[in-house]
Amino acid sequence: MVTVNLGMLHYVLDHVYGAFMHRTKISPQFFSRGWGGTKLELLERMIKQLFPEVAGQNWPPTVIQPNWKTVWESQTATLREGVFRTPCDEQLLSALPPESHSARVAFLAPKSVPPQKMACVVHLAGTGDHTFERRLRLGGPLLKENIATMVLERRPVMQHGAKLLCVSDLLLLGKATIEEARSLLHWLDCEAGFGKMGVCGLSMGGVHAAMVGSLHPTPVATLPFLSPHSAVVAFCEGILKHATAWEALREDLAVQKAAMTLEEVRERMRNVLSLTDVTRFPIPKSPNAVIFVSATDDGYIPKHSVLELQKAWPGSEVRWVTGGHVSSFLLHNDEFRRAIVDGLDRLQWKESPL
């Protein structure tokens, strides 16, 4: 009888998938057009302003007014799609292509339940997730728990498939996603009157969800799934380091300044992506409503990265599912849903206005 180490099998699956996707010509590399020039310098300045001097000093989200249309309606639920202007300042909007000045959102909600007795979770996109379908499938079964699902779509035009063309695009995408998600939570709270809110995301979407939960001025359930504490881990340590166009990044730097070794280029990347380190962000208002779901044998996200964030946010919980990044993404939706339900259960219901 042959004993198979399942953990090693999941880890190997991640590496086989990674080799197939990232080391062949099937899929282009990340950042094949370099760093992003003046856009990167602008974003570095803007993101440094994200770290408030005092942990509780969160600025209020921008008010948005989505334009809604009904996609379908059943006896028990309704699906609407909305469009709203990206709530970013003019400097950031000028860095986005005109097509990305608006964001799209899908909103799946139970019918015949007053909003103050419902919760809603904003689902943020992982790398390569450009449509509503997968996240609506994740949220759909939660309707029976009176939990609505809001799915934010953001795909910058400067992207080939899942691959961002410049390093600046990663920061631009993150900053725009954070602002949009915070405004959607504010809309759910103040305009729609939901009793509880949450934010979740998978992989890089989970990094963004952690940032949103950290910066939001009121308590929300924060649910990062299969997520690192920083993009440094994803692009400099995990499998995606094989999917990064290091030579193009070196050539781009050589045009701007003196020639650099590949190790110096990687160090520059670590410095830039350290801006995405969630451990530098404030502790969320309800850290006990933070639940990380992570995989035991993830070839993309090492365990130490998850534990660093748990340590930075005392009171948060880590749940481990058996598998790698790819297999967990495919097989563990029930565990993700359970974390959503439990995270929301740890919040107080908002008091209804008299």
Side-chain angles (χ1 to χ4, degrees), residues 265-344:
V265 173
R266 289 191 175 98
E267 191 54 37
R268 164 77 172 132
M269 179 71 93
R270 287 186 196 101
N271 287 337
V272 170
L273 295 187
S274 69
L275 294 170
T276 66
D277 185 344
V278 186
T279 65
R280 298 170 61 184
F281 281 64
I283 297 172
K285 301 293 180 294
S286 287
N288 68 317
V290 178
I291 301 175
F292 305 100
V293 181
S294 302
T296 52
D297 300 281
D298 194 321
Y300 288 77
I301 315 297
K303 282 184 181 179
H304 77 81
S305 180
V306 181
L307 297 174
E308 278 183 50
L309 195 44
Q310 184 197 25
K311 184 179 174 185
W313 289 357
S316 61
E317 179 188 351
V318 176
R319 296 181 178 179
W320 297 99
V321 293
T322 301
H325 200 77
V326 174
S327 62
S328 297
F329 171 80
L330 297 171
L331 301 175
H332 289 305
N333 281 332
D334 283 343
E335 282 84 352
F336 300 148
R337 292 186 193 105
R338 175 50 48 198
I340 289 171
V341 171
D342 291 348
L344 289 166

Side-chain angles (χ1 to χ4, degrees), residues 99-345:
E99 304 92 314
S100 296
H101 288 194
S102 293
R104 286 179 68 227
V105 64
F107 188 21
L108 179 65
K111 285 173 73 176
S112 309
V113 182
Q116 65 269 24
K117 295 186 186 297
M118 277 196 289
C120 185
V121 175
V122 177
H123 292 239
L124 303 183
T127 304
D129 186 1
H130 304 311
T131 64
F132 296 138
E133 281 73 20
R134 188 199 67 77
R135 285 169 287 159
L136 286 173
R137 284 200 303 273
L138 178 61
L142 297 172
L143 288 170
K144 63 182 183 295
E145 310 268 0
N146 289 336
I147 297 172
T149 292
M150 189 171 261
V151 177
L152 175 63
E153 181 190 80
R154 166 151 291 289
R155 181 183 180 184
V157 175
M158 67 292 272
Q159 195 166 316
H160 185 210
K163 301 300 172 67
L164 296 157
L165 296 179
C166 298
V167 176
S168 61
D169 297 339
L170 180 72
L171 300 182
L172 187 60
L173 171 69
K175 184 77 166 70
T177 297
I178 290 164
E179 296 302 328
E180 289 164 356
R182 293 177 75 242
S183 290
L184 286 171
L185 288 169
H186 183 72
W187 183 87
L188 288 165
D189 185 4
C190 299
E191 297 291 323
F194 275 76
K196 293 181 183 182
M197 279 82 60
V199 59
C200 73
L202 197 138
S203 202
M204 274 308 292
V207 176
H208 296 149
M211 292 175 177
V212 171
S214 159
L215 294 169
H216 201 67
T218 59
V220 293
T222 303
L223 307 147
F225 303 144
L226 310 178
S227 303
H229 75 284
S230 162
V232 173
V233 175
F235 290 99
C236 299
E237 291 182 35
I239 290 170
L240 291 184
K241 70 184 177 191
H242 302 300
T244 299
W246 296 110
E247 200 55 53
L249 291 167
R250 180 165 73 169
E251 287 168 11
D252 192 23
L253 282 175
V255 171
Q256 300 170 42
K257 48 190 87 169
M260 301 176 86
T261 66
L262 276 180
E263 189 43 54
E264 287 172 320
V265 173
R266 289 191 175 98
E267 191 54 37
R268 164 77 172 132
M269 179 71 93
R270 287 186 196 101
N271 287 337
V272 170
L273 295 187
S274 69
L275 294 170
T276 66
D277 185 344
V278 186
T279 65
R280 298 170 61 184
F281 281 64
I283 297 172
K285 301 293 180 294
S286 287
N288 68 317
V290 178
I291 301 175
F292 305 100
V293 181
S294 302
T296 52
D297 300 281
D298 194 321
Y300 288 77
I301 315 297
K303 282 184 181 179
H304 77 81
S305 180
V306 181
L307 297 174
E308 278 183 50
L309 195 44
Q310 184 197 25
K311 184 179 174 185
W313 289 357
S316 61
E317 179 188 351
V318 176
R319 296 181 178 179
W320 297 99
V321 293
T322 301
H325 200 77
V326 174
S327 62
S328 297
F329 171 80
L330 297 171
L331 301 175
H332 289 305
N333 281 332
D334 283 343
E335 282 84 352
F336 300 148
R337 292 186 193 105
R338 175 50 48 198
I340 289 171
V341 171
D342 291 348
L344 289 166
D345 279 347

